[in-house]
Amino acid sequence: MTRLLSLVLLLHGSTAFLLPGVLPARALSVDRPRAAPYLATPNSPTSGLSALSVNELKRLLSERGVDFRDCLEKSDLIERLQSSSSVTRRSASPSTLMDSETRLVSTFQRVSPSVAYIQTSAVAPTPFSLRPMEVPAGAGSGFLWDDQGHVVTNYHVIASNGPVPNKVKVKLQGVTTAYDAQVVGMEPDKDLAVLKISSGALPPAIEVGTSNDLQVGQTVLAIGNPFGLDYTLTQGVVSALGRDVVAASGRAIKNCIQTDAAINPGNSGGPLLDSRGRLVGVNTAIISPGGRTGGNVGIGFAIPVDTVRRVVNQIIRFGRVVKPTIGINVADDKVVRSLEAQLQRSLSGVLVVEVVPGSPAAAAGLKAAKFRGDGGVMLADLITHVNGTPVRQVEDLLCEVEEKAVGDEIVVRVLRGCDPARPEMIKVKLVSRDELPKSAGPLPLFGR
């Protein structure tokens, strides 16, 4: 059989690919009966149908449940549409989306204008010119926080190549040019940064939800710019809660959200939303077997919005994060492990080594260990719990205190003299580091 080669136009969105192909057998057949030509008159139904586009004709056929897969030309679609009105059709499948799809589309259309494409630049010398050239240094995602032009993103997005750059470009959907953003402040320990752009007309900020009531299994959405593909939407579920993720500073970000919504390089700093489009987290990291440049394997992490709200509001108000403190210094974990070996008994907790005079800790009666000149140590208070949560290392204590606000009161369980037989519960009020009297020693560990 002779095969007739043709050129088949494959349309995908707005991009056309011209590919060699083979006309389908049905298109080559000369035996298939064709309806008699229909002469259109100004008052005939065909004249009205001819004014419709091909897509509109296909939509009408789809709504009527009419099969049009073998229609090759527009006239075939019109012919099929006319004949469908006089024959019994199968049950029509409506072209409208399902309710869940409609909500998803509506959420994306409402929220995506507030998602930003973040790009940093660096100045690089040029070999044959005295004038240095500005080149892209990093990219990621962000989102509008309020109507004042504050934009939230990850710290590692703007500081991926070392120091924070002077210039950060922020581009919003539907805007042809990028804004020059000012860096308001950052918190490396939480991998968050706040930028500010100046514009007279900004889209509405994303609605802020809560993360303390998230449940494993509920639907979440991620919007961002993976691999530079702007305004990409992915969907998944909350896979787990309470994960620890190491920030750029080396500190652990507590209570992160794990999700299987596809998060890839470039999604960092973008919003994680619940099914109603409310912010529940900031996408920050993935686990990828391919390393730094690897793609998503279904394990991504987001900073919980309860943490984001606290950090961002402090950065906007003070230009930095105001960390609460009780006014103590504690021994490094390695020192405590060494003391355990010397004493040959467990010291499960954090050892107080300095109490700042005039601090809340001093007012509450906390006692500090003292190191003697002969290398020995006089043991004092060992902190084992904060508000009932076990404290086994310094990081546990820092996280428990820093998750609270200045002015809050915490209950600290200590072992007097590191003696398990002498536990005591002590209430201590948190203050900002600026409120502490000047210490003769190093700055208190809480609030550094």
Side-chain angles (χ1 to χ4, degrees):
M1 178 184 293
T2 303
R3 302 184 69 183
L4 176 63
L5 293 180
S6 66
L7 292 178
V8 179
L9 187 63
L10 177 64
L11 294 176
H12 181 71
S14 61
T15 306
F17 300 92
L18 200 59
L19 301 176
V22 179
L23 283 177
R26 207 176 273 182
L28 292 174
S29 173
V30 295
D31 299 326
R32 183 168 63 92
R34 301 272 299 195
Y38 185 91
L39 183 62
T41 63
N43 297 323
S44 69
T46 305
S47 62
L49 294 176
S50 298
L52 300 177
S53 69
V54 170
N55 284 335
E56 289 171 328
L57 291 169
K58 289 191 292 186
R59 187 178 302 115
L60 287 172
L61 286 165
S62 178
E63 287 177 351
R64 295 187 177 193
V66 178
D67 189 355
F68 57 89
R69 76 186 73 189
D70 59 337
C71 293
L72 188 62
E73 299 176 355
K74 182 176 179 179
S75 59
D76 296 333
L77 295 172
I78 295 174
E79 187 179 307
R80 186 64 53 82
L81 191 58
Q82 288 176 326
S83 63
S84 70
S85 61
S86 60
V87 298
T88 303
R89 302 186 305 272
R90 60 180 171 83
S91 177
S93 56
S95 64
T96 54
L97 302 175
M98 293 189 298
D99 290 343
S100 59
E101 293 175 313
T102 301
R103 288 194 298 269
L104 184 60
V105 171
S106 174
T107 297
F108 176 76
Q109 292 175 344
R110 186 180 77 251
V111 175
S112 60
S114 302
V115 178
Y117 179 71
I118 312 290
Q119 187 174 52
T120 59
S121 58
V123 176
T126 52
F128 302 106
S129 173
L130 295 178
R131 177 179 293 179
M133 182 173 60
E134 194 172 275
V135 296
S141 304
F143 57 92
L144 278 174
W145 177 260
D146 56 25
D147 58 2
Q148 303 300 311
H150 290 107
V151 177
V152 175
T153 186
N154 282 144
Y155 167 77
H156 78 259
V157 168
I158 65 171
S160 57
N161 292 298
V164 176
N166 295 326
K167 289 186 178 181
V168 179
K169 295 286 187 181
V170 175
K171 188 176 184 302
L172 297 174
Q173 187 178 15
V175 180
T176 55
T177 57
Y179 299 102
D180 286 323
Q182 166 197 356
V183 179
V184 177
M186 65 207 77
E187 177 50 87
D189 288 348
K190 302 299 182 186
D191 197 21
L192 291 170
V194 178
L195 314 175
K196 187 173 185 181
I197 57 177
S198 298
S199 174
L202 291 173
I206 294 177
E207 183 182 353
V208 177
T210 58
S211 54
N212 65 319
D213 53 356
L214 286 176
Q215 298 184 47
V216 173
Q218 77 174 78
T219 300
V220 287
L221 314 172
I223 304 178
N225 309 289
F227 300 107
L229 301 172
D230 54 354
Y231 309 111
T232 297
L233 169 69
T234 57
Q235 182 179 13
V237 298
V238 175
S239 304
L241 298 166
R243 300 301 195 199
D244 291 356
V245 175
V246 179
S249 65
R251 291 278 309 279
I253 307 173
K254 294 285 188 179
N255 299 318
C256 285
I257 305 161
Q258 181 183 327
T259 177
D260 67 348
I263 299 174
N264 288 289
N267 273 115
S268 290
L272 186 72
L273 312 167
D274 64 12
S275 57
R276 294 176 59 183
R278 297 174 300 188
L279 183 72
V280 296
V282 176
N283 301 318
T284 187
I286 61 173
I287 289 180
S288 176
R292 182 179 176 83
T293 58
N296 175 269
V297 293
I299 305 177
F301 302 98
I303 306 165
V305 71
D306 293 345
T307 299
V308 174
R309 183 194 292 109
R310 175 174 54 83
V311 171
V312 168
N313 285 335
Q314 289 190 17
I315 290 176
I316 292 174
R317 185 173 300 180
F318 305 112
R320 60 184 177 86
V321 175
V322 180
K323 298 179 181 179
T325 176
I326 60 175
I328 64 172
N329 263 306
V330 296
D332 187 82
D333 293 327
K334 293 181 180 179
V335 174
V336 177
R337 302 291 85 79
S338 176
L339 288 173
E340 282 183 326
Q342 295 177 34
L343 299 172
Q344 296 185 348
R345 66 184 180 91
S346 174
L347 296 176
S348 182
V350 175
L351 183 64
V352 179
V353 294
E354 181 189 8
V355 177
V356 178
S359 67
L366 283 173
K367 304 296 182 182
K370 295 181 180 180
F371 292 88
R372 299 194 300 262
D374 60 0
V377 59
M378 293 179 59
L379 298 177
D381 290 342
L382 184 76
I383 299 175
T384 63
H385 294 74
V386 173
N387 288 344
T389 302
V391 171
R392 297 183 177 87
Q393 56 188 359
V394 174
E395 184 64 26
D396 295 338
L397 188 55
L398 286 170
C399 290
E400 285 301 317
V401 172
E402 291 177 358
E403 288 300 315
K404 305 298 184 294
V406 171
D408 286 352
E409 192 174 66
I410 61 174
V411 178
V412 179
R413 180 181 184 270
V414 301
L415 300 181
R416 294 294 193 183
C418 298
D419 186 352
R422 297 172 57 199
E424 191 170 330
M425 309 295 284
I426 300 175
K427 291 184 178 181
V428 190
K429 185 178 180 180
L430 300 176
V431 298
S432 69
R433 190 170 65 182
D434 296 336
E435 297 177 66
L436 287 178
K438 297 300 180 182
S439 171
L443 286 174
L445 190 55
F446 292 169
R448 66 176 177 181

